[in-house]
Amino acid sequence: METAEYDSIAGSRQQAACPLKFNPQAPEPRTTRPQPQRVCHPQRPMLKLFASSAPSEELQMLFFSETLAMVSNTGEPQGELTIDVQRGSHKDVSGTMLHCPVVHAFSRGFMDKMLCGNTLLGYLSWNLEIKEQHSQEFIKFHILPMERKMSLLKQEDRLAMTRSIKEGEEVKTQVTLFPWRSIAGFISESANLLLLRVMAWRRIVPSNARFLALDTEGKLCYSTYKALGSQTIQVDHQQVEVFIVEQNVHSDEGIPMSCQFYLLPDGHLAKRVQVGSPGCCLITKMPIIREEDEVEPRPVFEKKPLMWEEDMELYSRFLDRKEQLRLSHTSYLQQHPEATALISDFLLFLLLRRPADVVTFAAEHFGPFALSWSPTTGLRSSNRPSPFRSLDLELL
């Protein structure tokens, strides 16, 4: 059985990190389908932030790593919490590798002089839908250590949840299948971390924002978000303004949880407080605030006329090129005197005949030089038919 102390600590943090391997000697898992629960219909105003299949400029600004110190109410250090959101890859059901946001978080610390920690690794779609998530949490009780693992995996039209609880040497495993349509608006633990950064970046929380979530018992419940306004706090000897968001996880069977997140303008978490917890998470070093680059308009250059005759360099290049072409043409004609003879012969006939259609006359004059020209006899009529002019019916 899980103890109340374990549930209290388990619900006190957003879980996070690496792929898990279950004990091969554990009993066969039970597969169950979720029972109908009293869950209000979630609203989805923030899930449409990432409608594109490719990451936006805004989302790129939310990819960074941060570390907070876990301290008690008396200021004593108790551990460390690290949250890292980056762009990664995930293989879908068809085996295709797709880019997606990857959330990795982990913490280690002491609670009542007992070692505890949790890890989380989550793969999300660009609209914050869960693809795959693995979480692990442990508490080293002196008598009976406890460990809890949970995996979420999207399988075509359903979401498979595998929970494993180890108490001493006893391991209990349970598999629950959720129809995909029944969890519309579901926000996983990894999606929650990224959603908080979006709210901080936009400095807005939609009114009555409500989403589906999982409680500490793995049951569907709903999670609500509320903006508590802005406040000035001291971080690393600096006065900074933070945006406060309160999250409440409402559970019918598990332990309700209420957390307050103090967020910097770029999404960094400055402080995290769980209502009723004997400690909190604080940032110890002021990060460099990330700001979106302002896109400057492209410069417009007026088109000016080119006065190359007045440019000494361009005019000199023109004269050099002109002389180069003249010498090249003269050399070619000297090497091919037949070209001069052909042109002279054509000009002589042109001036003698003086045709009205010079183009047709030139085509008929140079036509016999073509390879496809059919040979004709030497005695020809002066009114012979020409392929280059239309037939005159009076001459037929």
Side-chain angles (χ1 to χ4, degrees), residues 54-229:
S56 63
E57 292 291 337
E58 182 181 29
L59 187 57
Q60 294 285 356
M61 301 297 295
L62 305 179
F63 290 167
F64 55 84
S65 178
E66 57 184 342
T67 300
L68 291 85
M70 301 165 56
V71 297
S72 64
N73 289 339
T74 59
E76 298 179 359
Q78 293 186 328
E80 197 173 70
L81 168 65
T82 299
I83 303 174
D84 184 26
V85 181
Q86 299 294 339
R87 173 174 174 171
S89 300
H90 183 265
K91 183 181 294 185
D92 60 8
V93 292
S94 63
T96 304
M97 295 296 294
L98 300 175
H99 293 293
C100 66
V102 180
V103 178
H104 184 203
F106 55 92
S107 68
R108 290 291 185 275
F110 290 90
M111 187 73 68
D112 296 331
K113 297 182 180 181
M114 292 180 295
L115 179 64
C116 62
N118 56 50
T119 57
L120 174 75
L121 179 64
Y123 299 88
L124 306 172
S125 66
W126 295 113
N127 59 359
L128 298 185
E129 290 182 347
I130 183 69
K131 290 177 174 284
E132 184 176 356
Q133 178 178 286
H134 302 278
S135 62
Q136 180 184 20
E137 188 173 11
F138 70 89
I139 303 178
K140 298 294 185 180
F141 290 120
H142 301 298
I143 299 178
L144 200 63
M146 299 187 65
E147 182 182 31
R148 171 154 47 187
K149 298 179 181 180
M150 183 172 68
S151 295
L152 298 174
L153 180 62
K154 180 181 179 182
Q155 299 176 344
E156 296 181 352
D157 59 345
R158 64 185 182 180
L159 179 68
M161 179 183 68
T162 304
R163 298 179 72 245
S164 175
I165 301 176
K166 182 179 180 181
E167 185 177 0
E169 297 299 328
E170 183 182 0
V171 179
K172 297 180 180 179
T173 304
Q174 182 179 12
V175 178
T176 306
L177 303 177
F178 298 96
W180 190 253
R181 292 184 178 180
S182 68
I183 59 171
F186 173 69
I187 287 292
S188 62
E189 297 171 14
S190 53
N192 172 70
L193 297 176
L194 186 54
L195 181 60
L196 287 169
R197 293 186 177 185
V198 174
M199 293 178 177
W201 182 264
R202 298 195 171 185
R203 299 186 68 82
I204 185 174
V205 177
S207 59
N208 300 323
R210 184 187 324 212
F211 305 99
L212 283 177
L214 291 175
D215 61 13
T216 56
E217 299 296 326
K219 304 295 183 181
L220 278 177
C221 60
Y222 65 91
S223 174
T224 59
Y225 296 83
K226 181 173 62 175
L228 300 182

Side-chain angles (χ1 to χ4, degrees), residues 271-291:
K271 184 178 179 181
R272 181 187 181 277
V273 178
Q274 180 185 353
V275 178
S277 175
C280 64
C281 297
L282 292 172
I283 192 172
T284 57
K285 184 178 180 180
M286 183 65 185
I288 299 176
I289 301 299
R290 302 158 64 94
E291 297 181 355

Side-chain angles (χ1 to χ4, degrees), residues 195-383:
L195 181 60
L196 287 169
R197 293 186 177 185
V198 174
M199 293 178 177
W201 182 264
R202 298 195 171 185
R203 299 186 68 82
I204 185 174
V205 177
S207 59
N208 300 323
R210 184 187 324 212
F211 305 99
L212 283 177
L214 291 175
D215 61 13
T216 56
E217 299 296 326
K219 304 295 183 181
L220 278 177
C221 60
Y222 65 91
S223 174
T224 59
Y225 296 83
K226 181 173 62 175
L228 300 182
S230 300
Q231 181 179 333
T232 301
I233 64 174
Q234 183 174 348
V235 177
D236 193 18
H237 307 290
Q238 298 184 37
Q239 296 293 324
V240 294
E241 185 179 3
V242 293
F243 181 64
I244 307 175
V245 178
E246 183 180 64
Q247 179 196 16
N248 293 280
V249 178
H250 309 268
S251 175
D252 293 333
E253 301 181 17
I255 300 176
M257 183 184 66
S258 178
C259 290
Q260 295 177 358
F261 300 88
Y262 295 71
L263 301 158
L264 295 175
D266 65 344
H268 277 89
L269 183 59
K271 184 178 179 181
R272 181 187 181 277
V273 178
Q274 180 185 353
V275 178
S277 175
C280 64
C281 297
L282 292 172
I283 192 172
T284 57
K285 184 178 180 180
M286 183 65 185
I288 299 176
I289 301 299
R290 302 158 64 94
E291 297 181 355
E292 189 174 7
D293 296 334
E294 295 183 2
V295 180
E296 297 183 358
R298 298 176 115 188
V300 178
F301 301 98
E302 296 182 0
K303 188 175 181 180
K304 297 181 180 180
L306 178 60
M307 307 298 294
W308 63 271
E309 296 92 341
E310 299 178 1
D311 190 299
M312 296 295 294
E313 183 178 357
L314 292 180
Y315 189 69
S316 176
R317 291 184 180 182
F318 166 75
L319 294 179
D320 293 342
R321 181 58 176 166
K322 180 179 179 181
E323 181 64 17
Q324 181 183 3
L325 291 176
R326 188 188 69 80
L327 295 176
S328 176
H329 296 165
T330 302
S331 176
Y332 179 82
L333 292 177
Q334 291 176 353
Q335 296 176 7
H336 299 278
E338 65 275 13
T340 304
L342 285 173
I343 296 174
S344 300
D345 185 58
F346 170 71
L347 291 176
L348 177 61
F349 277 96
L350 180 66
L351 295 175
L352 290 175
R353 298 287 181 88
R354 297 185 181 182
D357 189 352
V358 178
V359 176
T360 303
F361 179 80
E364 294 175 349
H365 177 80
F366 291 104
F369 295 97
L371 295 178
S372 61
W373 185 270
S374 58
T376 57
T377 59
L379 299 177
R380 295 180 299 176
S381 170
S382 59
N383 292 325

Side-chain angles (χ1 to χ4, degrees), residues 12-25:
S12 65
R13 290 185 288 273
Q14 295 298 320
Q15 301 174 351
C18 39
L20 308 175
K21 297 182 179 178
F22 294 96
N23 189 344
Q25 298 184 0

